[in-house]
Structures are given as structure tokens and as C-alpha cells.
Amino acid sequence: MAMANSLSFPSINPDFFGQLDSRSPGQGEPHELFRGEEQFLSRRQRATRLALLNSIAPTLKRLLGQDENVLYATAAMRTPTFFQSAGLGALSYAFFQMALVFTDRRLIEIQLDFKGKRPDGRVRSFTWPHVATLKRGFGGFSFALTPARGRKQSWRLPLRGDRRLLKLLLPRIQDRLLGTGTNAAETLPVQHCPDCGVALGSDPKECSSCRALFRSSRLVSLLSVAFPGAGLIYAGHPALGTLNLLGEITLFIVATMLLLEAKGASALLPALAGAAFLFLVTKAHSVHLGRTLVARGRTETPERRARFKRLGMAGGAVSVLAIGSALALHGSLPKGLDHDLDFAVGKEWTGARSAAQWASFKDETTMRSQWTHEEGWRVSVLAYSLGAFESLDGFREDFSRGAARNGDRVVTEDSSLPAPFQGFRSIEAMTNKAGKPVVVINYFVYDPEGRDVHHLLIGAVPEQAAEAEAHLRGLLERGRWIELSPPSR
């Protein structure tokens, strides 16, 4: 038999319960897996299957009982639950690749690694007398197993040849189902130790026979909360852990920016709520993903678990320090306005810090005061607090772009302000609501201590623009910083 010795896997005989049909194995031709294999699998598929079966052979030999016969073995993908799919996304099927071994007594499921080439963790079995139904899905692309006691399981079959053979084989197994009766049925699946093959109870912490430790769902949860990516690395997936680390760092930066940009108590609470929401969502996802992957049943040593416990404590300290630093940085930055502008004027100017006395901008929340000259000139004073990542130059660029978008023409823009004030001025030519040309003169005064920008503006017809600016400049020359004096509204 060509290459028959290359298979270290137990012999496969789909005809154990009787020849499947006229096309089924049993023709006596040379084979690698079973007689008649060429009718179901191509040469390349047989080579791939041969490598897979040899890789799972040691695991299977620990499980098979005396006189237990292998009917067929195939690669499949267990259908993930909704939450498993949500946690892993497009990777869900790659993480649920299985080798399925059909014997005359049971179905054995051996979990494979991400590449689907070797055993990786959990081993389960479903004994036929305790199975209620075994049905093929529509088109044979999948099949489902329903235990008499336990949750329904389903798998997808990627190869057409496997689907064809199981279509013939599964009816032969039907007669072996639920031989014990529903009341006497055991709960399926039965979980086995991947190291020694002994049957275990549900959610085992360690093997009762070889004392192998199973990776802890409790520890993976604590590690996921303590430090980004630590839980996934503990579960045995460093690539996913690194991606999780980068993702959580990005969200942490976003949350920190929300806090730094918050100005005043009214803005701080929404920022804290947003940061808390991001934290809870990312941590919930990390914990769920970590528990999903650690449930794959990999074992570990006591020394490895102790190392990760130390990593969890160190990572938790780093996380607390990072969060504390973000909150401390928020407290060290100015929030809201620190000062107002006041003007030492005589009888020619009248100031008003009450919205009820303003002739314009009454509904503008950034309005601080309004000053009226005895000749009728009116100067409005507004103020803007720069955010943690804003600068005067950036503010100036934003203002210029805004003027261009509105169709206003900037006549003059420079830094000509009366000493000791610093900032810039911008003179714009525009059209008012009545369609008449007007000139708006803007002086932007920067308060470096509070990182605020105070905006003085006056409007005039083009013929009186020079006179209007002279009044505005004269008023600013008498300006001084005072303690914050919020206007009444």
C-alpha cells in the first residue's frame, strides 16, 4: 500500500458499520488514509489531511479505548456563539478550527491552533448513546449535534469531499444515538485533559490525574483589567495582546484629551463620563475576549502562573499611575477664563456687564461686556479660553480660515496692538444683512497667564473705519486685567 506506513494515526475505516455504497471505500486500491479516499479527497487534500492526522495522533491515542474503531477524521470549524463572534470578529473561525474524529463509540473534538495544523488545548467528546440528534445542515455544509443533556453544538465542513462522505456515514451512526434514554444520559460534552486524556468535570481547574493546571479565567480577567493586553498574552496569544495594548493606549489618549479639553465643572462631568464609558467598554471587551480564549483549555505550570500574577500587580500599578497622572494633569491646567478686561475710562465711555443692557450679542455665551462711547460707537468684548492643545497661533489660523469660509475679505492682519498687550488684529470688509458694505475691526488680546483670548470688535461703514479703530485702540490703551467678573444674564 503506497505510503501506508506514513500514517501514525490509528487506521480509518468508514465501512465499519457496513459498506456505505457502491462508490465507497473497499476496492482494495493503494491508499494513505483509507481505501477509496481518492473518491472524496484530492491528492493535495489527502496530503494536508495526512499531516493533520499525524499531528493529532498522540492526543488521540491517549483517548481511544480498547477496540474503539475510527470511522473517519476531518478538519472542521466549530460555529462560535454570538458573543464569541462579537469578541473575535473575522478571526472567530480561525480560533475555532477543530479536528473531528468519528469512532464507533463517540465523536472526539480536538482543538487546533490558529493555523489549523496541530492540537492546541481543549479536547472534548460526545458519546453516541447520550446524543439525541445528529443532523446535517442545509446543503451539507455543516452538521449539528444535540445532546440529550447539554448545549447544541455545530460545525462547518470546508471540503466538499468531507461533506459527501459524512452524508453517507451519519445515517449509519443514527442507530447508535440515545441508547441509554434521556433520564440516564450524561451531560455532554465530556472534557478531557489535553496532556493525559483523562475525563474531567465541568470547568476544571486542574487535571485530577496528571495535576496539569488549566489557565485561570479569574486570572485572565484580573490581568485584562490591570494592564492592556496582559490577559490575552496570558491566554497564549501575544499578537492579539499587542493589538489590544495599542488599541487601549489609543483610547486612553483620547480619554485623556477629553479630560484636558474640559473647561469648568460643567464640562468636566461629561468628559469623565465619556472617559469612564471608554474604559468600561474596552475592559469588558478585553475580559470577554480573554475568557473566551483561556477557555480553549491550554495548560500551564505553577511557575508561569506566578510570573503572570507578578506581572498583573506591576501592570496594575502602572495603570493606576497613568490614570492618576491624567487626572493630575487635568487639575494643573487652567480651566475656563481667569481674568476679564476692564478699562479706566472717563465720562465718554459707559460700560455694561449685564446682558440686559447690551445692544447686541445678548445671546452670545462668550460675551463679557459692552462699552458705548458718547458719540455712539460701540465696542463689544468677548473672551475664549484656549484648550490644552490650542495655541494663539492656531487660534489665529482658525479665525482666518473662518473668515474666508464666510466670504469676508481680510483687509489687514498683523500684531499691532498697544503695549503692553500682545495678540493680533484683523480688519475685515463684509456685507451686512441689509446688503451694505461694512468694516469690522477685531483686536484679539492674549492673556498668557490664563491662556485666554479676549476679543474686542467694533463695526463701521468704510468711510468711518479709521475713526472707529481710533476709538477702539484708545479704549484698549486704557485696558487692564481684573479678577474674573462674569456678566449677569
Side-chain angles (χ1 to χ4, degrees):
M1 294 184 293
M3 295 184 66
N5 293 332
S6 64
L7 179 62
S8 61
F9 193 81
S11 60
I12 300 173
N13 182 13
D15 291 327
F16 182 79
F17 291 137
Q19 187 167 317
L20 298 181
D21 69 357
S22 59
R23 296 174 299 149
S24 62
Q27 305 303 317
E29 297 179 5
H31 62 277
E32 298 172 332
L33 302 174
F34 56 89
R35 295 186 185 277
E37 59 194 16
E38 69 282 353
Q39 301 176 42
F40 301 97
L41 301 174
S42 68
R43 181 178 296 275
R44 183 175 181 180
Q45 290 169 346
R46 296 199 300 272
T48 302
R49 184 65 51 82
L50 178 66
L52 172 62
L53 297 187
N54 282 332
S55 73
I56 67 172
T59 301
L60 186 66
K61 288 178 180 178
R62 290 194 290 266
L63 269 73
L64 290 178
Q66 284 188 336
D67 301 325
E68 186 170 4
N69 297 279
V70 176
L71 309 179
Y72 192 61
T74 181
M77 293 179 290
R78 181 159 59 84
T79 306
T81 66
F82 171 80
F83 290 107
Q84 288 169 344
S85 295
L88 287 166
L91 297 175
S92 57
Y93 283 105
F95 278 100
F96 287 95
Q97 296 183 87
M98 308 290 168
L100 299 181
V101 180
F102 295 81
T103 78
D104 58 335
R105 301 178 186 179
R106 54 185 167 168
L107 171 65
I108 299 173
E109 178 195 68
I110 301 174
Q111 189 165 256
L112 303 177
D113 62 5
F114 184 79
K115 296 180 179 180
K117 293 185 176 181
R118 62 181 181 84
D120 182 31
R122 188 163 62 182
V123 178
R124 309 190 302 175
S125 67
F126 305 81
T127 48
W128 301 132
H130 304 285
V131 174
T133 61
L134 187 63
K135 296 181 179 179
R136 294 171 65 244
F138 178 77
F141 291 95
S142 65
F143 74 97
L145 180 153
T146 304
R149 296 179 61 186
R151 302 179 65 175
K152 179 180 179 180
Q153 312 284 325
S154 63
W155 297 267
R156 295 188 180 185
L157 301 170
L159 296 185
R160 181 172 178 269
D162 290 327
R163 298 195 292 267
R164 289 176 52 229
L165 192 144
L166 288 180
K167 179 181 179 180
L168 302 173
L169 179 61
L170 292 185
R172 301 297 182 94
I173 298 175
Q174 293 290 339
D175 296 338
R176 276 79 184 167
L177 303 184
L178 208 58
T180 60
T182 304
N183 293 333
E186 66 180 10
T187 301
L188 297 181
V190 175
Q191 186 164 333
H192 299 266
C193 174
D195 290 352
C196 69
V198 70
L200 305 169
S202 59
D203 192 24
K205 303 297 185 292
E206 68 175 354
C207 176
S208 57
S209 177
C210 67
R211 298 301 175 186
L213 285 176
F214 290 92
R215 300 189 187 183
S216 166
S217 58
R218 180 174 178 270
L219 181 55
V220 80
S221 299
L222 294 175
L223 287 169
S224 298
V225 173
F227 192 76
L232 297 178
I233 294 174
Y234 169 72
H237 301 278
L240 286 180
T242 302
L243 290 175
N244 182 259
L245 171 64
L246 296 176
E248 288 202 28
I249 288 177
T250 301
L251 290 177
F252 176 77
I253 293 173
V254 172
T256 301
M257 292 178 65
L258 288 175
L259 289 175
L260 294 181
E261 288 291 333
K263 303 166 186 174
S266 59
L268 178 59
L269 290 178
L272 285 173
F277 176 78
L278 289 176
F279 177 83
L280 291 175
V281 169
T282 55
K283 288 304 179 184
H285 179 266
S286 298
V287 169
H288 169 68
L289 185 56
R291 293 177 72 92
T292 297
L293 294 177
V294 86
R296 289 167 62 84
R298 287 181 173 180
T299 58
E300 65 176 343
T301 62
E303 293 77 17
R304 182 182 186 275
R305 180 172 292 186
R307 286 198 303 271
F308 272 95
K309 285 182 177 179
R310 292 193 295 270
L311 173 64
M313 290 187 288
V318 172
S319 296
V320 170
L321 180 62
I323 295 172
S325 298
L327 294 174
L329 182 59
H330 171 270
S332 67
L333 294 175
K335 298 295 179 288
L337 299 174
D338 285 346
H339 301 97
D340 269 308
L341 270 175
D342 194 25
F343 306 96
V345 296
K347 295 184 295 183
E348 72 274 19
W349 287 95
T350 302
R353 295 189 182 276
S354 171
Q357 298 175 323
W358 296 338
S360 56
F361 300 107
K362 290 184 177 182
D363 297 326
E364 178 57 56
T365 57
T366 58
M367 185 74 171
R368 306 301 296 176
S369 63
Q370 198 166 78
W371 301 80
T372 305
H373 193 267
E374 61 184 2
E375 296 180 5
W377 299 104
R378 185 181 302 114
V379 176
S380 298
V381 182
L382 302 89
Y384 321 101
S385 180
L386 297 182
F389 302 99
E390 294 179 299
S391 65
L392 179 62
D393 290 338
F395 178 90
R396 183 172 178 173
E397 292 174 3
D398 290 343
F399 180 82
S400 298
R401 284 195 293 265
R405 284 196 301 268
N406 293 333
D408 303 333
R409 182 169 60 88
V410 177
V411 178
T412 301
E413 184 177 317
D414 57 31
S415 301
S416 176
L417 295 184
F421 297 109
Q422 54 181 299
F424 68 98
R425 67 169 180 160
S426 177
I427 301 176
E428 303 171 282
M430 60 181 69
T431 303
N432 63 15
K433 294 180 179 179
K436 296 181 179 180
V438 294
V439 173
V440 177
I441 302 157
N442 304 278
Y443 276 38
F444 295 93
V445 183
Y446 181 57
D447 174 15
E449 182 179 343
R451 300 188 70 254
D452 307 321
V453 176
H454 295 254
H455 179 191
L456 287 71
L457 66 90
I458 189 172
V461 297
E463 296 79 11
Q464 296 178 319
E467 182 181 358
E469 184 177 8
H471 284 292
L472 174 59
R473 194 174 187 88
L475 179 65
L476 182 56
E477 288 174 347
R478 304 179 190 183
R480 59 185 180 182
W481 296 113
I482 63 172
E483 292 299 320
L484 198 63
S485 179
S488 59
R489 299 183 182 275

